[in-house]
Amino acid sequence: MERINVGDVLSESSHYVVERIIGDTIQLVHHESGQHISINRGYVKAFLHSADEVNETVEVTKEDKKDGTPGIRTIFEGIHSGQVFTVCFKKQDKQRSKKAVNADIEARTEAFVAAIDRAKAQKKSISDVARKHFSDLMLNPILGFEEGEDRVLRGYKVQFESRDGKYNCVDMDIERTDRESGVRPVNINTIKYLIYNGVKYIVK
């Protein structure tokens, strides 16, 4: 914008990362352009939102309650702007290779056979050994996937409708390059907590 006239109508839709705070001056990095700018603290307080500030903590369920209290799905789906937030969710499970699963099966089998052989040599109860190994197998089964880990994303939505519960969001903690957009999917079905508008919603 090269020329500004009295009475012009302006708008702003930007995202920033705080770089330094000097008195009432906040030095920021403009996320979209990478430019460094300075803004007065009063402007920040009056017009900007934080993905980190928590003024209130609320426990919510995944789905809406019968009394109309919104669940985390409704709260997250209700974000229809580029406003920033922090969300913690469980990443998608990773499929394990057949080779890796078979290796685990072989290792468990060898350990069981070795334990049986020791019990025989020491004239101990084979049934006790079998019971211990089967109990361990029931408590720690061999899975065909690796459970996804928790992931925390600080950023904003770029997708506002979803059929599978996954919403593309920009992770502002990822450095953007020509090959890296910083866009990551958030699975609404695995959200553990959400910080939005100063409220931390914890899923119980």
Side-chain angles (χ1 to χ4, degrees), residues 21-159:
I21 301 174
I22 305 174
D24 283 336
T25 299
I26 314 295
Q27 294 184 350
L28 311 166
V29 177
H30 184 255
H31 184 69
E32 282 75 9
S33 67
Q35 292 186 14
H36 301 265
I37 64 171
S38 296
I39 299 179
N40 181 271
R41 184 187 293 271
Y43 183 90
V44 172
K45 186 176 181 180
F47 300 111
L48 302 186
H49 297 280
S50 171
D52 302 286
E53 184 179 50
V54 177
N55 299 317
E56 181 184 2
T57 299
V58 178
E59 291 187 358
V60 297
T61 52
K62 282 190 176 183
E63 304 292 342
D64 297 348
K65 291 183 178 179
K66 291 182 180 180
D67 64 4
T69 303
I72 197 67
R73 289 172 57 89
T74 296
I75 295 168
F76 192 82
E77 287 175 342
I79 301 174
H80 291 295
S81 69
Q83 184 173 327
V84 292
F85 53 78
T86 295
V87 63
C88 175
F89 62 100
K90 181 174 167 288
K91 291 174 67 176
Q92 185 174 350
D93 297 335
K94 290 183 179 179
Q95 197 71 25
R96 299 180 66 206
S97 67
K98 188 175 181 180
K99 182 178 179 181
V101 173
N102 287 339
D104 278 354
I105 293 172
E106 182 67 23
R108 291 277 190 96
T109 302
E110 289 296 327
F112 177 63
V113 171
I116 292 292
D117 288 342
R118 284 195 302 272
K120 284 181 179 179
Q122 298 171 4
K123 295 182 180 181
K124 292 184 177 180
S125 172
I126 293 176
S127 61
D128 286 345
V129 174
R131 185 179 295 108
K132 179 181 180 303
H133 277 263
F134 277 107
S135 176
D136 180 65
L137 185 60
M138 294 293 287
L139 293 171
N140 303 286
I142 297 172
L143 302 175
F145 62 90
E146 292 181 9
E147 190 172 356
E149 59 188 11
D150 286 353
R151 170 129 164 43
V152 175
L153 180 147
R154 298 189 307 163
Y156 55 94
K157 269 185 175 183
V158 289
Q159 178 183 346

Side-chain angles (χ1 to χ4, degrees), residues 188-199:
I188 197 172
N189 300 303
T190 64
I191 291 178
K192 295 193 172 182
Y193 69 78
L194 169 70
I195 299 173
Y196 177 66
N197 261 343
V199 180

